[in-house]
Amino acid sequence: MTPDLGDLYQEVILDHNRQPRNFGALPGANRRAEGFNPLCGDRVTVQLEMQDGVVQDIRFQGSGCAISKASASMMTESLKGRTREHAEEMFREFHRLLTGVAGAPDAAALGKLVVFGGVREFPVRVKCATLAWHTLRSALENAPDIATTE
Ligand code: ZN
């Protein structure tokens, strides 16, 4: 990892932690899942509005460390307008980026998310960074009709 990427990593994490994007409830959601990382105490709820296999809208809520929050925030930014297949591909590449399992990640597919490569230096934080993505995957696997209070 180059020092520049390390600086960028810090900057991006701090920025998204301070001002999380797409944070809050999503009234039109038809997919939802909750995730918990007991190692750190991070909790996240991901809500999706899927239409014809495309992520129309996505928001998250929860509380946790800066990395978990920044990761969820950047995930929502990266996935809006993407197909389900594309979202799953990004998850695979992101997982590869953080764990090094199954070879080198496709940087082009990851886009801005490559800054999370810095997390690899802190193995205990990998679960913080992947929590939102694991939660996303269970949300995508959910049946479309979720219970709502509306
Ligand atoms: Zn954490």
Side-chain angles (χ1 to χ4, degrees):
M1 194 182 73
T2 65
D4 288 341
L5 190 55
D7 292 345
L8 181 63
Y9 162 70
Q10 296 280 356
E11 232 172 78
V12 168
I13 300 277
L14 289 174
D15 175 45
H16 279 263
N17 180 48
R18 221 178 287 128
Q19 291 183 292
R21 320 300 198 264
N22 307 305
F23 188 84
L26 183 59
N30 51 18
R31 298 279 199 291
R32 178 183 190 274
E34 287 172 31
F36 177 53
N37 169 22
L39 279 180
C40 181
D42 309 314
R43 287 181 190 277
V44 68
T45 301
V46 173
Q47 287 183 288
L48 287 158
E49 188 185 332
M50 296 295 293
Q51 209 184 323
D52 302 326
V54 174
V55 179
Q56 296 294 328
D57 208 353
I58 175 169
R59 280 188 215 164
F60 78 101
Q61 289 174 293
S63 60
C65 68
I67 291 174
S68 69
K69 219 157 137 191
S71 175
S73 172
M74 286 188 74
M75 179 186 81
T76 59
E77 270 197 325
S78 305
L79 293 181
K80 232 181 249 193
R82 305 283 197 188
T83 62
R84 178 186 173 150
E85 289 72 26
H86 197 141
E88 282 169 359
E89 185 198 338
M90 286 183 98
F91 175 83
R92 276 195 302 276
E93 296 303 328
F94 190 70
H95 198 258
R96 222 176 250 187
L97 173 75
L98 267 78
T99 62
V101 173
D106 180 349
L110 285 165
K112 288 195 291 185
L113 297 171
V114 292
V115 296
F116 281 94
V119 175
R120 261 173 95 161
E121 298 195 346
F122 310 96
V124 74
R125 292 300 195 179
V126 167
K127 283 186 193 300
C128 301
T130 53
L131 174 65
W133 289 87
H134 283 289
T135 310
L136 166 84
R137 198 156 64 170
S138 29
L140 285 172
E141 285 164 2
N142 274 352
D145 52 331
I146 61 159
T148 77
T149 54
E150 300 299 317

